[in-house]
Amino acid sequence: MVLSATSVNWVALQNGSDIRGVAIAGVPDEPVNLTPEVAYTLGQAFVSWLAAQLHQPAAELTLAIGRDSRLSGPVLMAAVIKGMAAMGSRVYDVGLASTPAMFMSTVLPEFQCDGAIMLTASHLPFNRNGLKFFTRQGGLGKPDITKILELAAQNEFAVTTVPGAIVPRDLLSAYAAELVRQIRTAVNHPDHFDEPLRGLKIVVDAGNGAGGFYTDKVLEPLGADTTGSQFLDPDGNFPNHVPNPENAVAMAAICGAVTANQADFGIIFDTDVDRGAAVDHEGRELNRNRLIALIAAIVLQEHPGSTIVTDSITSDGLTRFIEQDLDGVHHRFKRGYKNVINEAMRLNEAGQESWLAIETSGHGAMRENYFLDDGAYLVSKLLGELAKARLSGKRLTDLIANLQEPVESQELRLKILEPDFKTHGNQVITQLQTFVAEQPGWAIVPNNYEGIRVACTNANEDGWFLLRLSLHDPVLPLNVESNVEGGVAQITAKLQAFFTTQAGLDLSAFQS
């Protein structure tokens, strides 16, 4: 495949620590920029980058590649494989996979790959796709992706006359076997060690993504009744709902499945299974603050006093629960799953024990699991605790009985209309600081790591808000929570008065 170095805007393909682009034509104003030719070159660039990192010839490297259920996956995957093999590397084609499983291909004894690629664009629309890269040290960071794209732009690769071997491998079964072992060991059922979930009805909604394997490769070997599980077959059209635990339609679908089947537990995954959420026996969502509280309760049983790192939009009630009820430390950091994970790793290196890094989006990573954001692993931790609670005559949700949740919450996304949106957004945040200082009962919260978080202590507000700059988009997300009815409206009314004094913003979100 011949590709001109100047024919592709390589920089535009970077999305933080991932590569993402448009892979299917037909959506207005979204031209295709992730073609098979681009994918081929990216495969070569990753091999070149990895060979330099490991100080090994490309021909001595073993790599794995998998994909989610997206329509463009098979064609792009074939191109990436061809690009890597052209460098002389041995390539394992693992077919349909999850993002966490691709990392595990670098550490599982039967694989021991030098690097891995997952073709996915997470929860983005059907026409998008992308690449996530892994080594044995974990997922690549933003500077690594920048370097790979620079190599792709240069397009100066030494291809071999004899391509490397391409070998089909079953990764999902090996990955699932580790999850099965984890749950059996955690429960240690006195009568049914091999089937610790016997007698439990557990419903899975995979949203036609890559998570359907969890039903037949994990739950059923453990003895669970999975009757009522839905949308397990991979289908890149996503005909039933977007596979995204943050999507209201998706969560309504799994909640409905739990109640309709009188299940004990419900599980939902995103497209590539790096995120997950759950539903209790009453059909109540266990995501966002509830999910964080639940897994934090489990972690702090195992590691008392640990620091729990979360993103910036978690509630005040979660902080009180972690610190007062669980005797842990809540470290509220920045948005972005890599930010949260890297901060937990930094704390550990500095001597402050942290066993959990988790975003409200469902990205959860644990120290015991390579700090890999792995939705299936996180759910497996919950299932182990579910089975143990049942043995003692309790409910899993008893663990979060004391969690205080806000009465109201809202997110508004204010579009920035100025070309230099980052500079303008930061100017608005600075102006808001002055406005807050003039408001009775409002105070900037200390130790905030992005934007401005404000405590609103007036009796008719009793809440907080956070205004920050989006990681990638020309948007100022505004999150507001209150512990009293009507509190969000009181807070947002004052804020709307402030924003009307600021130029270069689309304030239509206040009218929606």
Side-chain angles (χ1 to χ4, degrees), residues 206-209 212 230-235:
N208 301 110
Q230 58 191 19
F231 317 140
L232 304 180
D233 295 331
D235 185 341

Side-chain angles (χ1 to χ4, degrees), residues 140-430:
L140 269 56
K142 186 175 180 179
D144 303 318
I145 302 302
T146 300
K147 181 61 179 177
I148 288 172
L149 289 169
E150 288 173 355
L151 290 170
Q154 294 165 9
N155 201 6
E156 298 173 352
F157 305 112
V159 299
T160 60
T161 55
V162 180
I166 301 171
V167 184
R169 294 290 301 271
D170 181 4
L171 174 62
L172 272 184
S173 292
Y175 168 72
E178 284 297 304
L179 297 176
V180 168
R181 181 196 58 78
Q182 170 205 335
I183 295 172
R184 284 173 176 158
T185 302
V187 180
N188 195 23
H189 198 292
D191 301 315
H192 309 293
F193 179 83
D194 286 341
E195 294 187 334
L197 303 184
R198 182 187 293 187
L200 287 169
K201 178 177 281 192
I202 301 172
V203 175
V204 175
D205 185 327
N208 301 110
F213 78 93
Y214 198 83
T215 304
D216 63 329
K217 291 183 182 293
V218 179
L219 294 178
E220 291 173 5
L222 292 169
D225 177 358
T226 60
T227 304
S229 292
Q230 58 191 19
F231 317 140
L232 304 180
D233 295 331
D235 185 341
N237 291 297
F238 307 130
N240 297 289
H241 61 68
V242 175
N244 180 6
E246 288 192 290
N247 179 270
V249 174
M251 287 308 301
I254 182 60
C255 290
V258 168
T259 54
N261 291 279
Q262 297 183 310
D264 297 290
F265 201 63
I267 298 166
I268 184 168
F269 294 117
D270 75 343
T271 318
D272 60 326
V273 202
D274 60 359
R275 290 187 295 137
V279 176
D280 71 8
H281 67 287
E282 296 178 337
R284 186 178 69 151
E285 297 179 17
L286 298 174
N287 61 358
R288 299 181 67 81
N289 287 295
R290 290 175 188 164
L291 179 64
I292 296 172
L294 197 53
I295 193 65
I298 296 170
V299 166
L300 286 164
Q301 285 178 350
E302 300 171 352
H303 307 284
S306 174
T307 295
I308 308 299
V309 181
T310 74
D311 61 1
S312 58
I313 64 170
T314 48
S315 71
D316 291 338
L318 178 66
T319 300
R320 287 190 291 271
F321 179 70
I322 290 173
E323 299 195 339
Q324 297 177 16
D325 292 88
L326 303 179
D327 293 324
V329 177
H330 183 198
H331 182 54
R332 189 188 285 122
F333 196 55
K334 300 177 182 179
R335 290 283 278 174
Y337 74 96
K338 289 291 287 187
N339 288 332
V340 174
I341 290 171
N342 289 341
E343 179 67 0
M345 294 173 70
R346 185 192 68 81
L347 291 177
N348 281 299
E349 290 170 0
Q352 183 175 344
E353 196 171 86
S354 176
W355 286 84
L356 175 64
I358 185 167
E359 265 204 313
T360 48
S361 65
H363 279 287
M366 306 188 71
R367 178 175 166 180
E368 69 194 49
N369 189 42
Y370 307 97
F371 270 122
L372 176 66
D373 55 317
D374 185 343
Y377 188 90
L378 198 71
V379 163
S380 296
K381 290 287 288 189
L382 299 182
L383 289 176
E385 201 65 27
L386 173 71
K388 287 192 287 185
R390 183 169 175 266
L391 280 171
S392 58
K394 298 179 180 179
R395 295 281 188 183
L396 175 64
T397 47
D398 291 347
L399 289 173
I400 57 172
N402 292 335
L403 174 66
Q404 180 189 1
E405 300 189 71
V407 172
E408 298 177 340
S409 62
Q410 185 177 22
E411 179 177 272
L412 303 175
R413 296 179 66 82
L414 312 179
K415 294 180 181 179
I416 303 172
L417 305 177
E418 298 294 327
D420 186 359
F421 69 88
K422 290 187 177 180
T423 298
H424 189 73
N426 285 321
Q427 289 173 348
V428 173
I429 291 171
T430 299

Side-chain angles (χ1 to χ4, degrees), residues 410-478:
Q410 185 177 22
E411 179 177 272
L412 303 175
R413 296 179 66 82
L414 312 179
K415 294 180 181 179
I416 303 172
L417 305 177
E418 298 294 327
D420 186 359
F421 69 88
K422 290 187 177 180
T423 298
H424 189 73
N426 285 321
Q427 289 173 348
V428 173
I429 291 171
T430 299
Q431 292 294 320
L432 181 57
Q433 293 176 14
T434 303
F435 177 79
V436 167
E438 300 168 351
Q439 306 305 308
W442 283 18
I444 297 174
V445 175
N447 301 322
N448 188 58
Y449 293 90
E450 65 177 346
I452 175 174
R453 186 178 177 115
V454 174
C456 306
T457 58
N458 297 313
N460 64 342
E461 296 171 347
D462 189 16
W464 59 270
F465 69 84
L466 173 73
L467 182 74
R468 62 184 176 86
L469 187 62
S470 172
L471 296 175
H472 306 296
D473 302 319
V475 171
L476 284 166
L478 173 66

